[in-house]
Amino acid sequence: MIAAFPQSGPTMPAKPTDHRPRVAAERRERMRRRLIESAMIVFADKGIGASVIADVVAAAEVSQGSFYNYFRTNEELLAAVGDELSGEMVQLIEPVVGDIADPAVRVATAVRCYLHLARSHPLLARFLAAAGLRMLVHHNATFRYLPADLEEGQKQGVFAAVPLDIVLDLVGGAGMAALDRMARGRTPKSYPDQIAAALMRTLGMGVADAERVAAGPLPKLAFGADSLLARAQARAAA
Amino acid sequence: MIAAFPQSGPTMPAKPTDHRPRVAAERRERMRRRLIESAMIVFADKGIGASVIADVVAAAEVSQGSFYNYFRTNEELLAAVGDELSGEMVQLIEPVVGDIADPAVRVATAVRCYLHLARSHPLLARFLAAAGLRMLVHHNATFRYLPADLEEGQKQGVFAAVPLDIVLDLVGGAGMAALDRMARGRTPKSYPDQIAAALMRTLGMGVADAERVAAGPLPKLAFGADSLLARAQARAAA
Amino acid sequence: MIAAFPQSGPTMPAKPTDHRPRVAAERRERMRRRLIESAMIVFADKGIGASVIADVVAAAEVSQGSFYNYFRTNEELLAAVGDELSGEMVQLIEPVVGDIADPAVRVATAVRCYLHLARSHPLLARFLAAAGLRMLVHHNATFRYLPADLEEGQKQGVFAAVPLDIVLDLVGGAGMAALDRMARGRTPKSYPDQIAAALMRTLGMGVADAERVAAGPLPKLAFGADSLLARAQARAAA
Amino acid sequence: MIAAFPQSGPTMPAKPTDHRPRVAAERRERMRRRLIESAMIVFADKGIGASVIADVVAAAEVSQGSFYNYFRTNEELLAAVGDELSGEMVQLIEPVVGDIADPAVRVATAVRCYLHLARSHPLLARFLAAAGLRMLVHHNATFRYLPADLEEGQKQGVFAAVPLDIVLDLVGGAGMAALDRMARGRTPKSYPDQIAAALMRTLGMGVADAERVAAGPLPKLAFGADSLLARAQARAAA
DNA sequence: CATGAATGAGGGTTCATTCAT
DNA sequence: CATGAATGAACCCTCATTCAT
């Protein structure tokens, strides 16, 4: 009987009574995504301290009141954008750096990927620059893995034995400054690599080694067509 | 007799009406200082993007209208605080670093002084952290002299030959991150020196050299009792 | 049965969601009218140059913020009152004067109607007097038709051949002065007719002719119960 | 003894102790005049309802506080300008019209003089237009003499026997409209005369007679070099 | 008296949030 | 849930007036 009248399942069409909730849930999800897209654009434009709700709902073509069915506060909205973006960036970067054995190369590559993504997506750079240090450090997979990578590198002797706090602060600060620079104007294509090399020196590598591990080809990184960033970019262009 | 007791003349004590402008100017200057003190505290508390005027006049125990006799906008006020603070910091740091011949030691010492000052004056750290990259880079003597110092160091071969833009971004970013960290919680006394050493590595020095130039005794740096910072600290404590 | 009791269709009573917009639009329109009523009273009391918004929202028993959902500026509000009033006055006067063949009688009758309306509605007189020459000339059907009527009268030889500019100024000035007088105190019932007769003389008619065309019975002119003026009068009385 | 040591007298130099008060009174008078000049300009520019005191003291180069040693309110200031101007206009016009026997010519000439003065002094036109009906009617010698002149004309049969109130209103209204027009843009040299002729018709004269009494040469009317208007014009030009 | 800073009431405007429909 | 008008607190700013010097 169960097989004959499955209540639910991935391949089964939902019963008529199931249909409405599913459609509703999809509608709800679409709306949420629209709001997040709009919010990313508005935060990038006006900063995270500005009055955004009116602009966000206008950009999302949603009523003021509806907003509060999805987000209670400004911060919740900002966090949602950050979570979503962070996830998408991790999904692009993780596969590239996950298999790298050398911790120095791994760290350098992660930084380079992160910054190259920002550099080739101005909206992303502007949002991250506006979001600030806290979000960079909090919502970033690079930072979650960084302590382990750094320790590993220190144990292997490729990084100098300096307190982790210090270098974490410096990586964060350098990242913010780089994002700010890229958000604010044109930078050469090598800019992310140079920042990465400098960071490798900060970690204690020699000049030549630092340059080496921050060089070499990177795979093409591209956001999916229905990713938040792609959608937001398209909407921002219009 | 008349010649012996002249009723007026260039060397005579001023007539009553002569000291009135001076007294008025002093009153005005005191008021301006009160506002700047209060503004520093409020900016440190609420950030530079917030609505501060109401809080500033409340802290200064002055009427709303008076504010506009001194500053037209938020930005003017922020600039005034920045200018004043910057001047005071420069007056403390310049004598210490001005005579140092070695550019590496000079840069490291300037950074250490700057950060030590911030570390021992939490209000300063919080204000500078809130004020952000732009103010750090714009209203700071360290940054004005930095390009020349870096070039000199690069010519002498103690710093790696890296584009100046890049290193300026990195120094700015590191400074911001360090200020943010110190503003946000306790840090060990060695924190500024460790940041400075790391920066020296970033600039291309070896680990040992970097540590060496960022070590050694620093003279005691203390703000004058009627400096903006001292007054603001006293007021903030109350 | 389904065909007999269709669930929806063009002729069916609207679904619940269909009448919501209509209800909302009606609410909005009522609010707008409340504001315009209040504004008319306040403008009549304080003049058009004064700060009215606070008084208007107080009179309308509406929050400050709501005002800005309807009008952006003082001038927009004034224009709205003027448009509405002008429309209502035209709707009363046009039918009376539209069929009059003799241009002299037509002009005189229009002026008499206009002034009689003001005289019997002190709030109207006070508002128009406060609004001033510009509004009188701009938002008044009498003034739109006046040039043509005057030219016709001049061609027929009943009016003197005087530049139109001059007579338009004179009619406007006379109207303003009459409104001011009526707004400021009691005037005899014949006052509008005497003003009209004097204007006819100004236009070049002889004394007897002028008196003749500005005499004779006028139909009763009364604003509808839900006209702006009626509502404002009722509210002002309370 | 009295002749030998006169305490005061028109031709005697004042005693040293008398000197100070006289100088002070002159200073005071100069200052008052400066304020009135500035006020006239500011009223003409911004209207009589606007916030003027700051502009007036700025234009007069006087301190805010001093203002209140001369005028208590806005209205007092406006009245002072009006009184002064009115006096000066009367002093120019009275000699011209005082000797005219024919009341029609007398009235027409007074109106013409008044409007010609305004037309050739844009600052005057702008001030009078801004000041409005009340000031025109209240502070104007033409209006003080007008009732008598009109009665005389009516008795002589040159004016129609219509209520004085009515024609006074119309003269005031026409004057305001004419001032407004002249304040607002260029008008032909004959404009004042045409207005005057129209007013003569309003009073009951035939077209030809009206034109006749409002024609003919007028003496040149010029304000003295140290009149309020002359000083204000000079200051406004600067 | 002259000065000009200090005052504070008042006006204009924005915007996050609520709520009836 | 979606809607969008209503709300009111908060903010910015002006300006007539006062008052110590």
Side-chain angles (χ1 to χ4, degrees), chain A residues 2 12 23 28 37 40 44 46 58 63 80 104 113 123 126 179 198 200 204 209 234:
Chain A
I2 288 171
M12 290 295 297
V23 166
R28 184 171 171 79
E37 283 160 42
M40 183 184 180
K46 303 183 54 172
S63 75
C113 286
L123 180 61
R126 288 192 298 123
L179 289 169
M200 292 300 107
D209 284 343

Side-chain angles (χ1 to χ4, degrees), chain C residues 150 154 162-172 202-203, chain D residues 201:
Chain C
L150 294 174
Q154 291 185 341
V162 178
L164 269 191
D165 299 0
I166 306 283
V167 280
L168 285 172
D169 285 354
L170 288 161
V171 176
T202 308
L203 295 179
Chain D
R201 295 196 297 274

Side-chain angles (χ1 to χ4, degrees), chain C residues 195 198 201, chain D residues 143 146 150 154 160 162-173 199 202-204:
Chain C
I195 292 289
R201 293 196 300 274
Chain D
F143 271 86
L146 207 53
L150 294 177
Q154 291 185 341
V162 290
L164 275 190
D165 298 358
I166 304 289
V167 282
L168 285 172
D169 286 353
L170 286 162
V171 175
L199 275 177
T202 309
L203 296 178

Side-chain angles (χ1 to χ4, degrees), chain A residues 133-134 160 162-163 165-166 169-170 173-174 177 180-181 184 191 194-195 198 201-202 204 207, chain B residues 133-134 160 162-163 165-166 169-170 173-174 177 180-181 184 191 194-195 198 201-202 204 207:
Chain A
L133 209 46
R134 223 66 35 84
V162 291
D165 298 0
I166 305 286
D169 285 353
L170 286 162
D180 188 73
R181 167 64 48 112
R184 203 157 297 281
Y191 182 80
Q194 292 183 292
I195 293 291
R201 294 197 297 274
T202 309
V207 173
Chain B
L133 208 45
R134 226 64 38 88
V162 179
D165 298 1
I166 306 283
D169 286 354
L170 288 161
D180 188 73
R181 167 65 47 114
R184 201 156 300 281
Y191 182 80
Q194 292 182 296
I195 292 289
R201 295 197 298 275
T202 308
V207 174

